[in-house]
């Protein structure tokens, strides 16, 4: 081969490489645009502003992050979404690899050109990268203003707000405050709202939001690096500690350290707020000392939102999206359809609305109920109602009224037991297919006329006592979650 032919082939290879790079550069730009739309500016800037695309080969996308923490977080929380977006914008992508980027290493065959500077991370995100004992990242959208308050969560909402707005020098009102609810009901939203509100009203207070996963990682790393004392000192100097996903606390040594930290903070009158997907007494595998300490605080639950509240959540989320892009329009009948059909939790509502917003931005087709139904089919799922057992009713009612399940089936006739027992019988009759004799048998072998009297008694009180009506509606929602 002549030198001239070799030169021509080399130039062709370079030209093909430039074209390929231009293709995946453009695809990466589109992926980032969709991520920004889905996540919001604050979250996108915190996690993706410094992520670079190094290439695409054999169906594998190579991204690089400047820190190991950033690499690990994106890999844990966004890998599947990145693969889906790359397939949509580039095609034939089976995996997205995320690597730690060397500050002195440039991707191969990449010509360095002048470009706009990479947007700087918010200060909180910079601190996160620099401080190995920093808290978990906060989402700027999760504030009290964006939280939708209703009958199913008002106690938890007001307790959380009281924690954040407590005056300087005042002893903790509810310590620890323990919030439990199912997935996507708003636990994390309330914890992060406390952090945002506290920093705004009391910037001198040291507040930390920490997932149990992050706590465990930091504790293990501190033991490995022989920095356990620094780790303990850091956490015990916090004024308000917010712990999320308590149900995932595992490991004997980790639980022991958590118990010591919890005791130290509570004994020092430092505020602790904990969130989990179940009540403290139901935290299987958690040390009894930890459960006892948590049960000794204020325990509040949140139930699944009703249709009206789901519509209110959608209105709030749509208003926030329209502030970013005023051209977004989702018809009222479509919002009503989502509120009726997506009944599981608020997170699924967000997902349904985000899909429609994305469709509105990238499609010329109008948003209709039929199109919406296709877009959110997997979120609607099985509409078969949940089968509720009498044992479930007894358990929920006993917990709500602070009596034991044994009390409900016993012969005790004190007022503190009789009323919860009557409510449990009423719910058993209205929420299960069981007959009066069957229900009586489950309540200590009582006669069917006793059950009939209890049902009629509660039916009469519900119409006249709004507080009792609200309590029974809350119990219904807890049973249906």
């Amino acid at each position: 081969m002549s030198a001239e032919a070799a030169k021509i082939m080399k130039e062709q290879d370079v030209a093909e490489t430039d074209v390929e790079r231009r293709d995946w550069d453009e695809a990466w730009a589109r992926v980032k645009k969709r991520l920004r739309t889905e996540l919001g500016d604050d979250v996108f800037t915190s996690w993706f502003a410094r992520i670079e695309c190094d290439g695409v080969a054999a169906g594998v996308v190579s991204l690089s992050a400047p820190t190991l923490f950033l690499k690990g977080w994106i890999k844990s929380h966004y890998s599947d979404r990145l693969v889906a977006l790359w397939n949509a914008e580039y095609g034939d992508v089976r995996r997205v690899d995320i690597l730690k980027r060397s500050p002195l290493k440039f991707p191969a065959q990449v010509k360095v050109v002048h470009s706009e500077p990479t947007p700087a991370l918010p200060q909180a995100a910079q601190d996160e990268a620099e401080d190995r004992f920093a808290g978990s990242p906060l989402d700027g959208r999760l504030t009290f203003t964006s939280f939708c308050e209703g009958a199913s969560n008002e106690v938890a909402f007001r307790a959380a707000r009281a924690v954040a707005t407590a005056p300087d020098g005042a002893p903790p009102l509810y310590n620890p405050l323990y919030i439990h609810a199912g997935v996507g009901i708003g636990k994390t939203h309330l914890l992060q709202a406390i952090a945002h509100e506290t920093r705004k009203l009391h910037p001198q207070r040291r507040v930390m939001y920490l997932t149990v996963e992050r706590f465990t990682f930091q504790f293990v790393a501190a033991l490995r690096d022989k920095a356990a004392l620094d780790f303990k000192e850091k956490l015990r100097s916090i004024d308000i500690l917010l712990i999320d996903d308590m149900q995932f606390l595992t490991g004997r040594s980790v639980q022991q350290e958590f118990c010591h930290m919890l005791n130290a903070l509570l004994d020092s009158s430092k505020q602790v707020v904990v969130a989990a997907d179940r009540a403290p007494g139901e935290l299987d595998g958690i040390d009894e000392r930890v459960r006892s300490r948590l049960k000794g605080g204020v325990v509040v639950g949140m139930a699944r939102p009703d249709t009206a509240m789901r519509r209110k959540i959608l209105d709030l989320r749509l208003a926030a999206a329209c502030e970013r892009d005023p051209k977004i329009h989702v018809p009222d009948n479509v919002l009503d359809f989502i509120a009726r059909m997506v009944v599981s939790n608020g997170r699924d509502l967000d997902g349904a609305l985000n899909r429609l917003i994305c469709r509105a931005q990238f499609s010329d087709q109008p948003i209709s109920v039929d199109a919406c139904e296709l877009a959110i089919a997997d979120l609607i799922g099985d509409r078969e109602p949940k089968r509720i057992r009498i044992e479930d009713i007894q358990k929920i009612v006993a917990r709500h009224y602070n009596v034991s399940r044994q009390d409900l089936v016993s012969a005790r006739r004190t007022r503190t037991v009789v009323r919860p027992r009557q409510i449990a019988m009423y719910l058993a009759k209205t929420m299960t297919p069981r007959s009066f004799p069957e229900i009586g048998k489950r309540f200590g072998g009582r006669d069917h006329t006793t059950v009939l009297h209890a049902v009629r008694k509660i039916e009469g009180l519900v119409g006249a006592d709004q507080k009792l009506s609200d309590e029974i509606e809350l119990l219904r929602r807890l049973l249906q979650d």
Side-chain angles (χ1 to χ4, degrees), residues 19-207:
V19 170
E20 290 176 359
R21 178 170 181 84
R22 186 163 59 251
D23 287 345
W24 44 258
D25 270 348
E26 291 173 353
W28 177 228
R30 294 192 298 271
V31 168
K32 288 193 293 184
K33 183 177 180 181
R34 293 181 65 169
L35 282 170
R36 186 185 293 274
T37 299
E38 292 180 10
L39 304 176
D41 290 337
D42 291 338
V43 176
F44 175 85
T45 303
S46 294
W47 300 120
F48 289 96
R50 295 191 295 171
I51 302 301
E52 296 178 1
C53 180
D54 294 339
V56 181
V60 178
V61 176
S62 297
L63 303 180
S64 61
T67 67
L68 287 173
F69 176 74
L70 199 58
K71 166 198 166 185
W73 181 268
I74 291 176
K75 187 174 181 179
S76 299
H77 294 79
Y78 296 105
S79 285
D80 291 343
R81 190 62 190 141
L82 284 169
V83 170
L85 290 176
W86 268 97
N87 269 310
E89 297 298 340
Y90 191 80
D92 197 25
V93 170
R94 54 188 175 82
R95 191 175 79 238
V96 174
D97 287 343
I98 304 169
L99 309 173
K100 163 71 167 63
R101 182 167 66 244
S102 169
L104 300 178
K105 183 179 178 180
F106 294 96
Q109 297 184 359
V110 175
K111 183 179 179 181
V112 180
V113 298
H114 295 291
S115 61
E116 294 183 3
T118 302
L121 281 172
Q123 186 60 44
Q126 294 179 21
D127 294 342
E128 187 73 29
E130 295 168 1
D131 187 352
R132 60 177 173 167
F133 296 149
S136 301
L138 296 176
D139 186 338
R141 299 171 298 175
L142 303 184
T143 66
F144 286 125
T145 302
S146 62
F147 188 86
C148 188
E149 181 188 3
S152 62
N153 60 30
E154 63 180 349
V155 175
F157 174 81
R158 294 177 185 181
R161 187 150 207 157
V163 167
T165 58
D168 291 328
L173 290 172
Y174 319 110
N175 214 17
L177 173 60
Y178 187 100
I179 301 172
H180 65 94
V183 174
I185 303 300
K187 306 181 300 293
T188 296
H189 194 143
L190 281 183
L191 260 61
Q192 296 206 16
I194 293 174
H196 288 304
E197 191 77 1
T198 301
R199 289 175 177 176
K200 182 174 72 175
L201 298 179
H202 309 283
Q204 75 281 4
R205 288 187 190 171
R206 291 162 294 186
V207 57

Side-chain angles (χ1 to χ4, degrees), residues 101-295:
R101 182 167 66 244
S102 169
L104 300 178
K105 183 179 178 180
F106 294 96
Q109 297 184 359
V110 175
K111 183 179 179 181
V112 180
V113 298
H114 295 291
S115 61
E116 294 183 3
T118 302
L121 281 172
Q123 186 60 44
Q126 294 179 21
D127 294 342
E128 187 73 29
E130 295 168 1
D131 187 352
R132 60 177 173 167
F133 296 149
S136 301
L138 296 176
D139 186 338
R141 299 171 298 175
L142 303 184
T143 66
F144 286 125
T145 302
S146 62
F147 188 86
C148 188
E149 181 188 3
S152 62
N153 60 30
E154 63 180 349
V155 175
F157 174 81
R158 294 177 185 181
R161 187 150 207 157
V163 167
T165 58
D168 291 328
L173 290 172
Y174 319 110
N175 214 17
L177 173 60
Y178 187 100
I179 301 172
H180 65 94
V183 174
I185 303 300
K187 306 181 300 293
T188 296
H189 194 143
L190 281 183
L191 260 61
Q192 296 206 16
I194 293 174
H196 288 304
E197 191 77 1
T198 301
R199 289 175 177 176
K200 182 174 72 175
L201 298 179
H202 309 283
Q204 75 281 4
R205 288 187 190 171
R206 291 162 294 186
V207 57
M208 178 185 286
Y209 166 75
L210 198 62
T211 64
V212 160
E213 178 188 19
R214 179 84 168 145
F215 171 83
T216 303
F217 171 80
Q218 290 181 347
F219 177 64
V220 172
L223 291 178
R224 181 195 62 209
D225 300 338
K226 298 181 180 180
L229 289 178
D230 293 338
F231 175 70
K232 294 178 181 181
E233 184 65 26
K234 171 75 175 180
L235 291 182
R236 297 181 189 187
S237 67
I238 298 298
D239 294 315
I240 301 179
L241 181 62
L242 311 165
I243 297 290
D244 205 356
D245 292 329
M246 185 65 198
Q247 69 274 9
F248 295 133
L249 187 68
T250 59
R252 182 179 176 185
S253 60
V254 175
Q255 291 191 24
Q256 286 179 343
E257 178 56 34
F258 182 88
C259 188
H260 295 324
M261 176 196 69
L262 185 64
N263 288 333
L265 290 172
L266 296 179
D267 293 343
S268 302
S269 294
K270 303 294 183 67
Q271 178 70 61
V272 178
V273 184
V274 178
D277 66 357
R278 66 204 73 169
E282 299 173 7
L283 291 171
D284 299 331
I286 301 293
D287 189 282
E288 179 58 33
R289 292 172 298 173
V290 177
R291 284 187 289 169
S292 176
R293 203 59 152 130
L294 296 174
K295 287 189 289 186

Side-chain angles (χ1 to χ4, degrees), residues 390 433-443 448:
I390 291 178
R434 302 299 178 186
S435 65
F436 287 121
E438 287 177 309
I439 294 171
K441 185 178 179 180
R442 300 291 184 90
F443 280 85
H448 75 280

Side-chain angles (χ1 to χ4, degrees), residues 34 37-38 81 314 328 330 334 338 342 347-363 365 367 371-381:
R34 293 181 65 169
T37 299
E38 292 180 10
R81 190 62 190 141
L314 289 170
I328 293 174
V330 180
V334 173
I338 297 173
V342 182
R347 195 169 294 156
D348 283 354
L349 285 175
D350 288 344
L353 186 60
N354 285 337
R355 294 182 191 184
L356 295 185
I357 289 172
C358 186
R359 183 184 181 91
Q361 291 179 319
F362 297 105
S363 173
Q365 298 297 320
I367 298 177
C372 174
E373 187 173 9
L374 288 174
I376 66 172
D378 60 309
L379 297 179
I380 296 173

